[in-house]
Amino acid sequence: MFFHQDATFEQLSIHRVGNKAQDEFYVLSDTPIAISQDEILPDLLMQYFMKPFSKANEVYRFFHPNDDLQLNEVYYFTKQYFEGKIAFHDMSQQLAKHLYEVSEHPKIKAGEVYVVALKNVQLEGEEHDAIGIFKSENKEAYLKVYPNAGGFDLDYEQEAININKLDKGVVIVKTEAEEGYKVLVVDQTNQSEAVYWKDDFLKIKARNDNFQQTGNLLKVYKNFVNDKLDEAFELESADKIDLLNRSMNYFKTKETFDQGEFEEEVIGNPQAASLFKEYQENFAEEFDTPFQSNFEIASPAVKKMAASYKSVIKLDKNFHIYVHGKRDYIESGFDDERGLNYYKLYFETES
């Protein structure tokens, strides 16, 4: 878990980065921002920068396709700063230049880039120094109401920043440098062009821990049931939902994952279990994320994936059947007289 309640700002630099593909440019400030004398601004900035990370469960690491971390620009400059080989503001300028160089998708928005030196951020029970890099792209208009001559007056401010809506951010925690640091990332844009933040600017990959193992296993099993099993078995929608429900129940009730136990209790078919293992291996090879046959189940990852596990059968536009268990209480068939498919449900009580 990540906590910032005791964190403090040490330094802050702000630059502006345009879209290189649109022939926009970057503007680098000459000096850092002095915020230590202001009583309110640090708290507002801490809320703006840090609050989105309170729900960040996945921990990433820097990497480089050539397996040389020194070629990763963000890793290189932050490491230089952590080791005292480069001044903070110089590092922030280099990071802004690098962000500009990778901002080549035509839909990437220009925006301010904030680079922050932090102390006393807590990750996984330990306090560390950290570097934060944040980008604001979307601006809003705000109304301001204030007392005036026995009444009130009204004004507005355009192109203002909503401190509850951070667009992009990353916190680089000063620990495990040789492994690529511990890195937390936020990207609220959720658009195809936004992948540049993680893939091009940061070059990060998820750390293969219990959270990642749990989430990947649930994700792969869901795709396996929905996309792969039909090639070998004739499954009805209720069968697929039952398999998914059983897997989710397994992860919610067990403390540890055991591959053999999962295949026996959840999949329950040697041929299907063999297909699933092959499906896992293909995923692991494609995404370079090997699976472990045993690991501790991470409850936050289960909770996160549960929202994507659908247990509903949609029938035309008239009915939805929510299936939470008791697969043998559902029957399906075809009514020749009406020329329609049907489901038959058995139950004990109605509420």
Side-chain angles (χ1 to χ4, degrees), residues 158-208:
Q158 292 183 325
E159 296 293 306
I161 297 171
N162 185 339
I163 64 169
N164 295 309
K165 294 182 180 180
L166 177 68
D167 291 313
K168 292 178 175 63
V170 59
V171 174
I172 304 158
V173 182
K174 186 183 177 183
T175 183
E176 300 180 6
E178 300 309 311
E179 299 177 44
Y181 291 121
K182 293 181 180 179
V183 181
L184 300 177
V185 64
V186 168
D187 191 340
Q188 312 267 33
T189 50
N190 291 324
Q191 298 174 7
S192 59
E193 66 273 9
V195 297
Y196 84 98
W197 182 253
K198 287 183 178 179
D199 296 348
D200 300 329
F201 174 57
L202 297 173
K203 291 189 181 69
I204 54 175
K205 62 181 179 180
R207 184 183 62 175
N208 201 20

Side-chain angles (χ1 to χ4, degrees), residues 95-107:
L95 293 173
K97 291 177 183 178
H98 172 53
L99 180 58
Y100 173 75
E101 291 298 326
V102 301
S103 298
E104 295 186 310
H105 192 286
K107 292 186 178 180

Side-chain angles (χ1 to χ4, degrees), residues 333-351:
F334 184 80
D335 188 308
D336 293 321
E337 184 176 340
R338 295 191 179 191
L340 294 170
N341 299 301
Y342 67 81
Y343 275 97
K344 183 187 292 186
L345 309 178
Y346 297 90
F347 62 93
E348 297 175 356
T349 60
E350 180 178 348
S351 60

Side-chain angles (χ1 to χ4, degrees), residues 230-244:
D230 278 339
E231 297 179 6
F233 302 91
E234 292 185 7
L235 296 178
E236 298 179 356
S237 296
D239 295 321
K240 293 182 179 181
I241 290 174
D242 180 57
L243 285 169
L244 293 177

Side-chain angles (χ1 to χ4, degrees), residues 76-308:
Y76 174 79
F77 288 117
T78 53
K79 189 170 188 287
Q80 289 281 300
Y81 168 73
F82 283 143
E83 294 178 350
K85 298 177 181 178
I86 187 174
F88 169 80
H89 192 67
D90 292 338
M91 172 199 67
S92 73
Q93 291 179 329
Q94 295 297 333
L95 293 173
K97 291 177 183 178
H98 172 53
L99 180 58
Y100 173 75
E101 291 298 326
V102 301
S103 298
E104 295 186 310
H105 192 286
K107 292 186 178 180
I108 293 175
K109 296 180 180 178
E112 288 75 33
V113 176
Y114 311 80
V115 183
V116 181
L118 296 159
K119 291 193 75 69
N120 301 325
V121 300
Q122 187 181 115
L123 179 62
E124 299 176 338
E126 298 180 350
E127 287 190 346
H128 300 281
D129 293 346
I131 291 294
I133 309 169
F134 315 96
K135 187 184 180 190
S136 61
E137 297 175 339
N138 297 294
K139 305 297 192 304
E140 300 178 6
Y142 283 86
L143 294 175
K144 295 187 290 185
V145 179
Y146 53 91
N148 184 25
F152 295 91
D153 209 341
L154 185 65
D155 199 355
Y156 66 92
E157 183 173 349
Q158 292 183 325
E159 296 293 306
I161 297 171
N162 185 339
I163 64 169
N164 295 309
K165 294 182 180 180
L166 177 68
D167 291 313
K168 292 178 175 63
V170 59
V171 174
I172 304 158
V173 182
K174 186 183 177 183
T175 183
E176 300 180 6
E178 300 309 311
E179 299 177 44
Y181 291 121
K182 293 181 180 179
V183 181
L184 300 177
V185 64
V186 168
D187 191 340
Q188 312 267 33
T189 50
N190 291 324
Q191 298 174 7
S192 59
E193 66 273 9
V195 297
Y196 84 98
W197 182 253
K198 287 183 178 179
D199 296 348
D200 300 329
F201 174 57
L202 297 173
K203 291 189 181 69
I204 54 175
K205 62 181 179 180
R207 184 183 62 175
N208 201 20
D209 57 5
N210 291 332
F211 183 93
Q212 191 70 15
Q213 285 283 322
T214 303
N216 280 345
L217 199 291
L218 283 167
K219 184 189 304 179
V220 168
Y221 184 73
K222 172 191 168 186
N223 293 340
F224 170 74
V225 170
N226 288 328
D227 303 331
K228 184 68 176 178
L229 270 182
D230 278 339
E231 297 179 6
F233 302 91
E234 292 185 7
L235 296 178
E236 298 179 356
S237 296
D239 295 321
K240 293 182 179 181
I241 290 174
D242 180 57
L243 285 169
L244 293 177
N245 284 341
R246 283 157 56 185
S247 67
M248 186 55 65
N249 183 62
Y250 179 93
F251 276 87
K252 285 182 176 180
T253 57
K254 303 282 187 177
E255 293 184 356
T256 59
F257 172 83
D258 179 88
Q259 182 83 23
E261 181 185 66
F262 181 82
E263 292 174 358
E264 181 178 346
E265 294 185 9
V266 177
I267 300 177
N269 180 297
Q271 183 183 353
S274 178
L275 288 174
F276 177 58
K277 189 170 292 186
E278 180 183 341
Y279 196 80
Q280 277 182 284
E281 291 171 355
N282 291 336
F283 178 93
E285 183 177 349
E286 180 178 357
F287 295 99
D288 192 24
T289 53
F291 287 97
Q292 300 171 11
S293 58
N294 298 84
F295 57 83
E296 292 185 13
I297 293 174
S299 296
V302 177
K303 184 177 180 181
K304 179 180 178 180
M305 284 301 301
S308 68

